[in-house]
């Protein structure tokens, strides 16, 4: 029996799932869409039409200014957008973000802030980097604010301002105001828990009066800060320049920081000067007993005012448990302090004890006398120290015999793994002939570009070439971020350029670090090479403290973050376009190294527990030398013909 005509068609129709979604589910979907895409959902069905008009969160960025005319007249375009919002939007807007840092100038936004003022709780205004826009005092009538984030503008609150009594986080970067008004603003936020200040302006001393503050980050003249009333502060970061050593008074800066647990201090490359006879206090007049972690991203281990201030603090942290130091190179300093600084003296450290220190991380280690001296003192005066991690990534600039002397023994007792050679499946590689390899590259330059995996392979290759002719003269040097190993006999150079992302990370005037997905400023140096080997992967996955950027710039769009595979793909597309358009592959050979995956430990292949300076953690990312990486160079040799 045949079904009634049309029944089969009716049964094949699927329910309209999108139209039947509950309103609250649609709201959640819309909140997670960019503003432009949210508006486009009106075409999905009647139920979705203008549903976006009830969104409580809106973001406007530079993608809305498409044409040259828009960019030249940003206020006209902004007025059109705001008119549509005001005409169609229903209900309150509680969160609004305006990110237009790369526009030529700022559109008029005060009228829209007036529209937002009664309900806005979270306001983010990242305005153009050029001439600062002066925000109207209307901003200070937004009584419901809980989060305020302002970049590149000027603010002047009225004398009648009674405060933001609901504000819990405040971020001011590149914001022009007076010290008095800044003090007043902070003190009129009784619930403030997070405060981020970044300024290049010369300010008078600013007293921070914020009894509920828990996190404080400051970039600028550190000597201008006084944490006057912050009894709940647990985490602080201070980054900036100091000109006059006498102006820095840590006793006043930390006078109410009894709850402080984590401190990061970076003096940058400022030159400390002082009147003759000035001495830095050996310790604070009080102890900060709750400080457990101390980060020093850039410190010279030489006799200097900077080091004296650091040691003053360490002596005042009797319960310190974790110390992380990035030791910078005197040769890279662009100050004139070299003339007055001396090598680290034993008596400088003599009264320094670390009775509770459990872990130390040392970066940029190259085996200087001062570094070895400091390490020996640590080991002798840290009775509960369990973990000492030394990052040896810059050790490559030292002579090979120095490296062998420092790192010959990390604690591994078996040597059998040195007698074996790694062999690829279904591929019978010839033995490595260093002389033939050098002849192939005579008068040429080979560069590795990437992260520590590239460094791993570069170290392997230079060691293999040197081991084949240990009496041959070589020149090892480092210029900026490039390490160079040259064999004059063959006029061959092997270079290592550290760039984990291939694309650029640039620092703006306000201190913001921007990952520029469409920029390759290093490429000019790459073009001079005869052989290029690239890699990039591991660092794309880092977040939090290890993430080296604050914003991402993609052509004309700037945003905080995105799925890492998406960012990785965009960066590789930029690199690939450069290769296609700029490299003559008949003269320059290009290789992409691929990804060395993280996986279970192979004790005969990975440094394992004997990596990271011989300490008890599993390094399953890098490879032993000699080992697998040597095989990579055998493959490279075969590919070069």
């Amino acid at each position: 029996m045949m079904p009634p005509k049309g029944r089969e068609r009716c049964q094949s129709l699927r329910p309209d799932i999108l139209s039947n979604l509950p309103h609250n589910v649609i709201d959640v979907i819309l909140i997670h869409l960019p503003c432009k895409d949210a508006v486009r959902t009106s075409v999905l069905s009647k139920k979705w039409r203008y549903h976006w008009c009830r969104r409580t969160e809106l973001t406007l960025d530079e993608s809305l200014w498409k044409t040259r005319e828009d960019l030249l007249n940003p206020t006209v375009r902004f007025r059109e957008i705001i008119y549509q919002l005001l005409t169609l939007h229903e209900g309150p807007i509680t969160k609004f973000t305006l990110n237009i840092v790369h526009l030529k100038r700022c559109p008029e936004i005060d009228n829209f802030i007036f529209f937002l003022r009664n309900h806005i709780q979270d306001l983010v205004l990242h305005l153009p980097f050029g001439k600062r826009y002066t925000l109207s005092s209307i901003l200070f009538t937004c009584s419901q604010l809980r989060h305020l984030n302002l970049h590149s503008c000027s603010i002047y609150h009225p004398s009648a301002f009674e405060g933001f009594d609901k504000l819990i986080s405040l971020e001011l970067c590149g914001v022009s105001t007076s010290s008095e008004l800044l003090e007043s603003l902070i003190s009129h936020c009784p619930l403030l828990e997070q405060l981020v200040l970044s300024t290049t302006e010369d300010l008078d001393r600013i007293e921070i009066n914020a009894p509920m503050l828990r996190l404080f980050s400051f970039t600028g003249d550190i000597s201008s800060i006084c944490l006057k009333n912050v009894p709940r502060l647990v985490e602080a970061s201070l980054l900036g320049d100091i000109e006059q050593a006498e102006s820095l008074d840590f006793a006043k800066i930390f006078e109410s920081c009894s709850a402080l647990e984590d401190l990061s201090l970076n003096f940058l490359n400022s030159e400390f000067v002082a009147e003759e006879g000035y001495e830095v206090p050996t310790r604070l007049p009080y102890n900060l007993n709750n400080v457990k972690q101390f980060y020093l991203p850039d410190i010279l281990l030489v006799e200097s005012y900077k080091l004296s201030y650091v040691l003053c603090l360490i002596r005042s942290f009797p319960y310190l448990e974790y110390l992380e130091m990035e030791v910078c190179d005197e040769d890279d300093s662009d100050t004139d302090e070299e003339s007055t600084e001396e090598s680290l003296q034993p008596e400088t450290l003599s009264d320094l004890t670390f009775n509770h220190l459990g872990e130390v991380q040392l970066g940029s280690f190259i085996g200087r006398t001062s570094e070895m001296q400091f390490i020996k003192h640590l080991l002798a005066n840290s009775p509960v120290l369990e973990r000492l991690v030394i990052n040896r990534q810059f050790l490559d600039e030292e002579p090979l015999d120095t490296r062998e002397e420092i790192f010959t023994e990390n604690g591994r007792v078996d040597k059998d793994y040195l007698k074996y050679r790694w062999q690829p499946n279904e591929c019978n590689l010839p033995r490595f002939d260093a002389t033939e390899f050098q002849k192939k590259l005579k008068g040429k330059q080979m560069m590795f570009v990437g992260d520590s995996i590239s460094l791993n392979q570069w170290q392997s290759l230079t060691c293999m070439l040197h081991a084949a002719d240990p009496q041959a003269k070589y020149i090892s040097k480092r210029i900026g971020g490039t390490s160079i190993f040259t064999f004059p006999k063959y006029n061959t150079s092997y270079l290592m350029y550290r760039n984990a992302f291939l694309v650029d990370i640039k620092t703006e005037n306000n201190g913001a670090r921007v990952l520029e997905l469409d920029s390759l400023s290093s490429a000019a140096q790459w073009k001079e090479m005869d052989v290029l080997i690239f890699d990039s992967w591991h660092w794309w996955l880092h977040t939090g403290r290890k993430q080296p950027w604050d914003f991402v710039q993609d052509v004309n769009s700037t945003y905080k973050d995105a799925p890492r595979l998406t960012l990785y793909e965009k960066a590789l597309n930029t690199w690939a376009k450069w290769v296609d358009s700029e490299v003559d592959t008949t003269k320059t050979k290009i290789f992409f190294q691929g990804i060395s995956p993280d996986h279970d430990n192979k004790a005969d292949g990975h440094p394992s527990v004997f990596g990271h300076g011989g300490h008890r953690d599993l390094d399953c990312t890098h490879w032993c030398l000699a080992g697998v990486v040597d095989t990579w160079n055998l493959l490279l040799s075969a590919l070069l013909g």
Side-chain angles (χ1 to χ4, degrees):
M1 183 175 179
M2 297 293 292
K5 188 176 181 180
R7 180 177 297 177
E8 183 177 354
R9 180 176 173 221
C10 292
Q11 288 178 341
S12 67
L13 290 176
R14 296 182 178 179
D16 186 351
I17 297 175
L18 286 175
S19 293
N20 291 322
L21 287 174
H23 285 286
N24 63 325
V25 174
I26 295 177
D27 288 338
V28 172
I29 294 172
L30 290 173
I31 284 176
H32 287 83
L33 289 176
C35 189
K36 191 187 302 184
D37 293 336
V39 173
R40 289 171 177 162
T41 60
S42 290
V43 303
L44 294 176
S45 73
K46 289 182 179 180
K47 189 172 183 179
W48 283 74
R49 189 167 300 162
Y50 299 124
H51 199 104
W52 68 271
C53 297
R54 294 191 291 274
R55 273 178 50 144
T56 59
E57 300 181 7
L58 291 175
T59 297
L60 303 182
D61 59 30
E62 292 160 354
S63 64
L64 300 172
W65 282 262
K66 287 184 176 180
T67 68
R68 178 178 175 80
E69 183 63 27
D70 289 341
L71 294 171
L72 291 174
N73 299 285
T75 295
V76 174
R77 178 66 173 149
F78 188 76
R79 192 182 298 124
E80 293 173 357
I81 296 168
I82 296 306
Y83 176 77
Q84 293 178 38
L85 283 174
L86 295 178
T87 303
L88 298 173
H89 195 273
E90 302 173 7
I93 296 175
T94 59
K95 181 176 181 179
F96 178 70
T97 298
L98 179 63
N99 188 349
I100 51 173
V101 294
H102 294 292
L103 284 189
K104 295 296 183 184
R105 65 178 186 275
C106 186
E108 171 63 47
I109 62 175
D110 294 324
N111 288 337
F112 189 63
I113 295 176
F114 180 80
F115 167 73
L116 297 172
R117 74 190 191 287
N118 290 328
H119 302 285
I120 191 69
Q121 297 177 18
D122 192 331
L123 181 60
V124 178
L125 301 176
H126 290 183
L127 305 182
F129 291 133
K131 185 178 179 181
R132 289 190 178 118
Y133 182 86
T134 301
L135 289 171
S136 164
S137 59
I138 295 170
L139 172 69
F140 298 96
T141 66
C142 300
S143 59
Q144 302 301 310
L145 274 177
R146 291 175 56 80
H147 306 276
L148 179 59
N149 186 320
L150 304 178
H151 283 213
S152 303
C153 60
S154 297
I155 57 171
Y156 301 96
H157 69 71
S159 57
F161 175 60
E162 295 182 357
F164 294 124
D165 58 5
K166 294 182 173 63
L167 197 72
I168 59 175
S169 72
L170 174 64
E171 180 171 323
L172 304 177
C173 295
V175 173
S176 178
T177 189
S178 68
S179 301
E180 294 78 14
L181 289 177
L182 185 56
E183 272 188 14
S184 175
L185 172 60
I186 294 169
S187 64
H188 282 80
C189 301
L191 300 182
L192 191 64
E193 295 180 3
Q194 298 184 35
L195 176 60
V196 177
L197 300 177
S198 178
T199 180
T200 57
E201 295 184 346
D202 292 330
L203 297 173
D204 297 329
R205 183 175 290 271
I206 305 167
E207 293 189 349
I208 307 296
N209 182 6
M212 302 300 288
L213 194 68
R214 296 184 59 81
L215 183 150
F216 176 62
S217 176
F218 178 78
T219 302
D221 181 358
I222 298 175
S223 63
S224 67
I225 290 296
C226 174
L227 296 168
K228 183 71 173 178
N229 181 24
V230 288
R232 295 172 180 253
L233 185 69
V234 295
E235 183 176 347
S237 173
L238 304 178
L239 184 152
D241 293 322
I242 302 292
E243 294 184 2
Q244 199 69 24
E246 298 98 327
S247 67
L248 185 58
D249 189 349
F250 277 141
K252 282 194 173 296
I253 291 176
F254 296 112
E255 64 180 330
S256 73
C257 298
S258 57
L260 186 64
E261 296 178 5
D262 293 4
L263 175 63
S264 176
L265 177 64
N266 189 345
F267 287 129
L268 297 176
N269 289 321
S270 57
E271 178 187 357
F272 278 33
V273 295
E275 295 181 2
E276 186 176 353
Y278 175 74
E279 293 186 5
V280 175
T282 57
R283 61 186 308 120
L284 299 180
Y286 47 81
N287 282 337
L288 292 172
N289 292 327
N290 283 311
V291 174
K292 301 295 191 296
Q293 303 189 68
F294 192 21
Y295 304 89
L296 294 161
D298 192 358
I299 185 67
L300 282 164
L301 287 177
V302 293
E303 295 293 333
S304 65
Y305 287 121
K306 293 181 192 175
L307 183 62
S308 296
Y309 274 116
V310 167
L311 297 180
C312 166
L313 289 177
I314 290 177
R315 293 186 185 98
S316 306
F317 302 158
Y319 295 95
L320 189 66
E321 296 177 358
Y322 177 90
L323 177 63
E324 184 172 328
M325 299 172 63
E326 190 76 20
V327 183
C328 65
D329 190 345
E330 296 97 320
D331 296 335
D332 292 340
S333 174
D334 41 358
T335 72
D336 296 326
E337 284 188 298
E338 295 94 316
S339 60
T340 58
E341 290 174 345
E342 303 174 357
S343 299
L344 191 61
Q345 301 300 312
E347 56 268 22
T348 301
L349 306 175
S350 60
D351 64 337
L352 206 61
T353 57
F354 305 91
N355 293 327
H356 297 270
L357 195 63
E359 179 175 351
V360 177
Q361 300 248 359
L362 294 178
S364 304
F365 177 88
I366 65 169
R368 301 183 194 91
T369 301
S370 60
E371 294 170 354
M372 300 303 292
Q373 206 173 347
F374 184 73
I375 290 171
K376 288 177 181 178
H377 185 85
L378 272 175
L379 294 173
N381 294 275
S382 306
V384 298
L385 185 66
E386 295 182 353
R387 178 180 166 90
L388 173 60
V389 178
I390 301 173
N391 185 335
R392 61 186 191 183
Q393 67 186 53
F394 294 116
L395 189 62
D396 53 67
E397 68 185 60
E398 290 296 298
L400 287 174
D401 52 355
T402 301
R403 284 183 259 169
E404 291 165 359
E405 178 184 344
I406 295 172
F407 286 110
T408 296
E409 295 294 336
N410 276 350
R412 187 163 189 157
V413 294
D414 67 297
K415 302 296 179 186
D416 288 344
Y417 70 96
L418 294 172
K419 302 175 184 177
Y420 295 93
R421 175 187 172 202
W422 288 79
Q423 179 71 27
N425 291 331
E426 302 177 6
C427 177
N428 188 22
L429 283 174
R431 295 189 67 83
F432 183 71
D433 189 327
T435 301
E436 284 301 312
F437 190 93
Q438 293 274 44
K439 287 179 178 178
K440 279 188 270 189
L441 291 173
K442 189 171 183 178
K444 296 182 178 180
Q445 299 183 93
M446 173 185 287
M447 176 181 276
F448 293 84
V449 182
D451 54 25
S452 56
I453 301 299
S454 284
L455 175 64
N456 221 183
Q457 187 175 358
W458 176 81
Q459 288 174 328
S460 163
L461 180 59
T462 53
C463 286
M464 291 166 71
L465 294 172
H466 178 265
D469 189 359
Q471 303 307 315
K473 182 181 178 182
Y474 64 85
I475 301 169
S476 178
K477 61 182 179 180
R478 189 162 179 264
I479 302 174
T482 305
S483 299
I484 308 169
F485 203 101
T486 302
F487 293 92
K489 181 177 179 180
Y490 299 97
N491 191 25
T492 54
S493 293
Y494 303 90
L495 298 87
M496 171 65 211
Y497 182 77
R498 289 297 292 264
N499 184 341
F501 302 96
L502 301 185
V503 294
D504 294 336
I505 295 179
K506 295 182 179 177
T507 303
E508 302 285 356
N509 292 333
N510 63 359
R513 302 164 301 171
V514 181
L515 174 67
E516 299 188 345
L517 294 175
D518 57 344
S519 178
L520 291 169
S521 63
S522 310
Q525 184 181 2
W526 305 345
K527 286 181 67 174
E528 300 173 3
M529 300 298 119
D530 300 285
V531 182
L532 285 164
I533 302 102
F534 294 91
D535 103 289
S536 178
W537 173 242
H538 284 284
W539 278 87
W540 289 96
L541 304 180
H542 285 310
T543 59
R545 194 181 289 273
K546 287 189 175 182
Q547 176 181 307
W549 73 78
D550 304 304
F551 300 97
V552 178
Q553 181 182 327
D554 182 7
V555 191
N556 291 324
S557 297
T558 303
Y559 40 88
K560 272 282 190 182
D561 210 345
R564 297 311 172 83
L565 280 176
T566 301
L567 300 181
Y568 181 60
E569 181 182 8
K570 288 177 180 288
L572 287 191
N573 280 333
T574 298
W575 169 80
K577 288 175 183 176
W578 173 82
V579 172
D580 291 340
S581 63
E582 300 292 333
V583 178
D584 183 353
T585 53
T586 64
K587 297 179 180 178
T588 302
K589 293 185 181 293
I590 301 281
F591 300 92
F592 191 83
Q593 198 176 11
I595 296 170
S596 178
D598 289 322
H599 45 64
D600 293 337
N601 178 58
K602 285 184 65 64
D604 54 350
H606 293 297
S608 182
V609 296
F610 303 104
H612 292 152
H615 303 287
R616 309 300 297 185
D617 70 323
L618 288 173
D619 181 356
C620 302
T621 300
H622 304 95
W623 298 88
C624 291
L625 299 179
V628 175
V629 190
D630 299 334
T631 305
W632 299 352
N633 286 315
L634 290 178
L635 291 166
L636 176 62
S637 179
L639 289 169
L640 289 173

